[in-house]
Amino acid sequence: MHQELAGGTFVDVIIDEAHDAQLLHPFKGNVDLQKLTDLIERVGAERIPYISAAGTVNMAGGQPISMANLRAVHQLAQTYGIRIILDATRAVENAYFIQQREEDYSNQAIATILHEFCSYTDGCTMSGKKDALVNIGGWLALNDYDLYEEARNLIVIYEGLHTYGGMAGRDIEAMARGIEESVKDDHIRARVGQVEYLGQKLLDWGVPIVVPIGGHAIYLDAKRFLSQIPQDQFPAQRLAAELYLEAGIRAMERGIVSAGRSKETGDNYYPELELVRLTIPRRVYTQAHMDLTAEAVEEVYYNRDRLRGLKMIYEPKYLRFFQARFELL
C-alpha cells in the first residue's frame, strides 16, 4: 500500500506454481527469473527502485523462497544495478524451510541460514509482531549509508528520535530478546510443528487447504471449500465470517477483497488464490486450541452447502480488507 501511495506499481513476478493451491512444490515463494528479466527489459532498470522479496510469501499461503532462488535474484539484480529489499517479517520461518527442504542446508543452524539469506539483500523491513515475538514495533535495516541517513532524518519527523523510532524502551528490549530467541532451532521447530499439526488434521478430514503447509498459518482454499459461491461474491470473506460465527475463530480473508481494485479501471482484481488465513500466534495456543479450531472448520465444511455469498455495502478508500462491510445475498 505504501509503495502504491508513493506512486509505484506493484508487479507480481512469483513462479506460476504459487497459484496452484494443491501443488506440492517445496518453494512456491520463488521469483520467476524470466518474468523478472522481461519486466526489467520492458520498463527499464532505472524505473525499478527495488525488488521486494518476501520470506515467506503471505498471499501465496505462507510459502518460502529457496536460498538458491534468492541468490540468483541477487545476481540478476546486481547485473542491472537494482536493490533488493527483504520483507523479513517471517524470514526465520523461511530459514527453517530452507533447512528442511534445500540440499546442503540440513545440518546448518537456523541463525546461520538466516545470515546467508539476508546477505543476498540490500536492506529489509521487519514487523516485530511476528518472528521477533513482541506485541508491537519493527525496524528498517539498510546497507546503503546515504539511504540510512535519509531514513534516520525522516523518522524524527514521523516517529521519534532515531534511537527509538516511536517505541518505548521496554518494547525495544523485549524485541532484542525476541530476536535472539526466535533464531533458536528448537523454538522454530516447535512453532512450525504446531501449524503442521493443525494442517494435517484438516487434510486428514478432507478439508481443502493450501499445500505444502506454510510456516505461520493454515490457508483454507475457499474456492474449493465454497465452490458454489462465485469469486465476485467474496467466498473467502464469507468463510471467515462463518468461522467466527461458528466458534469465535478470528480468521482473515486473503483473496479478492485483499487484492483490491485496478487504479486505472476501478475493476476488482481476481487473484488465482481465494484463501482464508488461520494465523497461529507464537507461544499462545495449546494443542487443545488447535483441536477446537480443526473441529470448528470441519463443522463449517460439513455444512458448507447452505452458505451463500456476500455483497459489499461499504468500501474504504485504502486497504478495504480491514474496514469493508458486507451483507448476505
Side-chain angles (χ1 to χ4, degrees):
M1 186 69 241
H2 291 287
Q3 295 161 343
E4 292 184 342
L5 284 175
T9 300
F10 176 80
V11 180
D12 190 1
V13 290
I14 201 168
I15 59 173
D16 291 338
E17 289 87 342
H19 303 300
D20 186 344
Q22 301 178 68
L23 182 66
L24 283 169
H25 187 291
F27 292 103
K28 286 183 176 179
N30 281 354
V31 172
D32 187 313
L33 297 174
Q34 190 59 56
K35 287 182 184 178
L36 178 56
T37 302
D38 291 345
L39 174 66
I40 296 170
E41 294 292 337
R42 185 172 75 251
V43 306
E46 69 280 358
R47 296 189 62 199
I48 302 176
Y50 61 88
I51 299 165
S52 180
T56 56
V57 181
N58 194 19
M59 293 292 283
Q63 300 299 311
I65 179 173
S66 72
M67 189 76 81
N69 183 252
L70 186 58
R71 187 185 301 117
V73 173
H74 174 66
Q75 292 170 350
L76 181 62
Q78 283 192 314
T79 300
Y80 288 97
I82 303 173
R83 294 186 179 93
I84 299 175
I85 301 297
L86 174 66
D87 178 351
T89 300
R90 298 180 175 94
V92 180
E93 293 169 8
N94 202 109
Y96 173 80
F97 285 124
I98 289 172
Q99 184 193 67
Q100 298 299 308
R101 300 176 183 176
E102 194 163 356
E103 191 177 359
D104 299 330
Y105 289 95
S106 60
N107 294 320
Q108 292 194 28
I110 293 297
T112 303
I113 296 170
L114 181 64
H115 186 270
E116 180 183 346
F117 190 76
C118 292
S119 74
Y120 299 127
T121 68
D122 300 287
C124 80
T125 57
M126 177 69 184
S127 171
K129 293 185 289 184
K130 284 81 173 182
D131 278 349
L133 302 168
V134 292
N135 296 323
I136 199 69
W139 71 82
L140 170 67
L142 296 163
N143 290 339
D144 186 305
Y145 186 82
D146 291 337
L147 276 180
Y148 160 74
E149 273 290 291
E150 185 174 354
R152 187 171 71 157
N153 186 241
L154 285 172
I155 200 171
V156 178
I157 300 173
Y158 291 104
E159 297 286 347
L161 196 63
H162 62 275
T163 53
Y164 60 87
M167 292 177 63
R170 63 181 181 180
D171 292 325
I172 297 174
E173 185 174 355
M175 187 180 295
R177 179 63 61 87
I179 295 168
E180 183 179 334
E181 293 183 8
S182 70
V183 297
K184 294 185 180 298
D185 286 57
D186 55 352
H187 158 73
I188 196 64
R189 187 184 306 112
R191 187 275 181 291
V192 177
Q194 189 176 44
V195 179
E196 291 173 342
Y197 174 83
L198 173 59
Q200 193 57 55
K201 286 186 78 76
L202 295 176
L203 285 173
D204 290 345
W205 294 343
V207 176
I209 69 172
V210 174
V211 293
I213 295 169
H216 66 283
I218 299 302
Y219 289 75
L220 304 175
D221 185 353
K223 280 187 176 180
R224 287 188 289 150
F225 200 117
L226 298 178
S227 58
Q228 76 275 20
I229 300 178
Q231 195 171 14
D232 60 3
Q233 294 180 13
F234 313 111
Q237 191 73 32
R238 179 67 182 94
L239 178 53
E242 190 64 24
L243 289 172
Y244 188 78
L245 293 172
E246 173 66 30
I249 297 170
R250 183 175 172 268
M252 185 174 188
E253 182 269 2
R254 301 271 73 180
I256 184 174
V257 181
S258 295
R261 298 180 182 274
S262 166
K263 61 183 179 181
E264 285 81 22
T265 67
D267 295 332
N268 284 318
Y269 290 120
Y270 287 85
E272 289 294 326
L273 296 176
E274 185 75 13
L275 309 176
V276 173
R277 187 183 69 187
L278 301 175
T279 314
I280 313 302
R282 293 152 179 79
R283 296 177 175 172
V284 173
Y285 294 143
T286 65
Q287 182 173 317
H289 287 106
M290 297 299 100
D291 292 337
L292 184 148
T293 300
E295 290 162 8
V297 173
E298 184 194 29
E299 180 68 18
V300 173
Y301 187 60
Y302 181 78
N303 295 296
R304 64 191 182 279
D305 292 341
R306 65 177 177 81
L307 300 181
R308 59 188 190 276
L310 300 172
K311 177 175 69 173
M312 188 182 295
I313 59 173
Y314 167 71
E315 181 176 351
K317 186 175 181 180
Y318 303 118
L319 298 176
R320 65 185 186 178
F321 55 90
F322 282 118
Q323 295 179 308
R325 293 195 291 269
F326 304 83
E327 64 180 22
L328 286 170
L329 290 171

